[in-house]
Amino acid sequence: GEFSSMDDLKLPVFTDAKAYPEPKEAKYEESFASIAAMRIALNGITKDDARVRLLKTRLARLGVKPGTNGAAFRLTIELTDEAPVAEKEGYALDVAKRGATIQARDKQGVLWGIVSFMQMIDYGAKTVRCGSIRDWPDCANRGFAGEYWPECAEFTVFQKMNRT
């Protein structure tokens, strides 16, 4: 089959600006922060990491190109042993008016944190819902056994599946 660009399905389509599957702990606010001008700060992860590239692909579709100067919103992504969630593939996501932080102890947790951040975006308004999430999987293998199709990787990432 053809190689997926990881944006063929244009996911997420509609999430009510909330993460799914339902996180273990989630506190959502009714306020939103503009991400029209944003910058990304990385700690423990490189700018050419596939997870960061996935995020930038989604932001580019919105017309948002993260910069460094004058951006009102700052997204910090940290791969650190000090992350608040110790469980494997776990992450902490905190979103406020001036910025957001994603913290995880492993790269899969970083991915799930980035996916949750993207799910909390109101793509029509170029805003992200304020709130906080602490999440980790119930079991090590989540997914399905079935046919593969060109967009399979994109679909499974946005369903937070790690196995097909």
Side-chain angles (χ1 to χ4, degrees):
E2 286 182 34
F3 176 74
S4 171
S5 74
M6 288 300 288
D7 199 28
D8 295 334
L9 298 175
K10 308 292 185 242
L11 296 177
V13 176
F14 176 77
T15 64
D16 194 27
K18 295 179 179 175
Y20 67 90
E22 186 175 338
K24 298 282 185 295
E25 301 170 15
K27 295 176 187 166
Y28 297 112
E29 299 176 15
E30 292 306 314
S31 59
F32 288 78
S34 174
I35 59 169
M38 72 179 294
R39 59 193 157 140
I40 299 175
L42 304 172
N43 179 17
I45 194 160
T46 63
K47 65 181 178 179
D48 61 343
D49 184 272
R51 294 148 195 84
V52 176
R53 290 195 326 262
L54 175 66
L55 172 64
K56 288 180 178 178
T57 298
R58 291 303 185 284
L59 294 174
R61 183 162 28 104
L62 284 174
V64 175
K65 185 175 181 192
T68 54
N69 297 324
F73 189 88
R74 175 183 169 140
L75 171 61
T76 302
I77 303 171
E78 297 183 327
L79 177 59
T80 173
D81 291 339
E82 303 300 315
V85 177
E87 287 81 3
K88 189 173 182 190
E89 297 186 35
Y91 67 93
L93 169 61
D94 295 291
V95 182
K97 285 285 191 187
R98 304 273 308 150
T101 302
I102 298 168
Q103 295 176 301
R105 295 182 184 210
D106 57 49
K107 287 187 174 184
Q108 198 68 30
V110 169
L111 175 62
W112 300 148
I114 288 173
V115 168
S116 289
F117 178 81
M118 290 187 288
Q119 292 170 338
M120 290 173 67
I121 293 174
D122 179 331
Y123 284 79
K126 293 185 188 178
T127 59
V128 63
R129 183 183 293 276
C130 294
S132 64
I133 293 176
R134 303 291 181 268
D135 196 24
W136 58 92
D138 286 326
C139 58
N141 299 317
R142 299 175 316 282
F144 63 94
E147 261 187 64
Y148 296 96
W149 64 97
E151 299 86 7
C152 184
E154 181 183 359
F155 176 81
T156 58
V157 164
F158 278 88
Q159 303 305 315
K160 296 184 181 139
M161 296 180 192
N162 63 1
R163 184 134 335 194
T164 57

